[in-house]
Amino acid sequence: MRKLVYHVAVTLDGRIAGPRGEYDFFPQGDERQTAAYASRMTALYPETLPTAVRAAVGVVDAPNRHFDTVVTGPGTYRPCLDHGITSPYAHLRQYVVSSTLAHDVDPAVTVVDDPLTLVRQLKREEGTGSDIRLRGGGRLAGALLPEIDELVLKSYPVVAGTGIPVFDSAFDPTVFDVAERTAFPNGVTVTRSRAPDSGRLPDRTRPERRTPAVTKSIGFA
């Protein structure tokens, strides 16, 4: 079965953006460090770059290595609209979870209002050989926590103080197993973690992953 992977940058205090959605405060390091980090992450995850950026850095024809689908919340999608970009990831299948966004925003973007049903349908698809990327934001990630199979958290050495949390949901401790951790000279640490039941046979000694009783009523604007 396909996996849902939450691939996102995060501050030391667990914020994926500032209170107004800003992310330009994430430190990149000096020029050499920035180039080395960007080169490595682009080689590993070329499909996570927006289509326009892929063209700018010369990887427009790079094959998708991990994902063929991206799921985004309205707050994460809105900055693209503000810049006149309605299809930011044209090289992927794009879904936006929103109850207010027009369904005809772009022919390449599918707008839905029930994230759990969407992800479960996408996971059941066969023959794609690729996984599903969750971009955020925090409320959407919180709603989809029971379905997240893997985390790829790019932790930057900065404290935001306030802002959008990586998960914005009710108190629900959920254990993930660290599979890999890589530190870069610019201070960024990339940690890949798996849900205990991801890709494994059921283990009755592990706590059951719960599903929230409320889905559509969460209200994604």
Side-chain angles (χ1 to χ4, degrees), residues 76-116:
T76 307
Y77 182 64
R78 180 61 58 185
C80 302
L81 290 182
D82 291 344
H83 287 86
I85 302 172
T86 56
S87 178
Y89 291 87
H91 53 287
L92 301 174
R93 295 166 59 194
Q94 302 170 87
Y95 293 87
V96 177
V97 179
S98 173
S99 58
T100 60
L101 187 65
H103 283 237
D104 60 352
V105 63
D106 189 282
V109 174
T110 301
V111 179
V112 301
D113 62 1
D114 185 346
L116 284 171

Side-chain angles (χ1 to χ4, degrees), residues 7 10-11 25-26 33-34 48-49 67 71 113-114 130 158 170 187:
H7 180 286
V10 61
T11 67
F25 63 90
F26 281 77
Q33 293 170 338
T34 300
T48 62
L49 294 176
F67 313 118
V71 178
D113 62 1
D114 185 346
S130 298
V158 61

Side-chain angles (χ1 to χ4, degrees), residues 193-206:
S193 305
R194 300 191 185 103
D197 55 356
S198 178
R200 304 180 184 178
L201 294 175
D203 183 346
R204 297 186 183 275
T205 66
R206 296 180 182 274

Side-chain angles (χ1 to χ4, degrees), residues 59-76:
V59 296
V60 66
D61 295 323
N64 298 335
R65 295 195 58 189
H66 301 276
F67 313 118
D68 65 1
T69 304
V70 61
V71 178
T72 304
T76 307

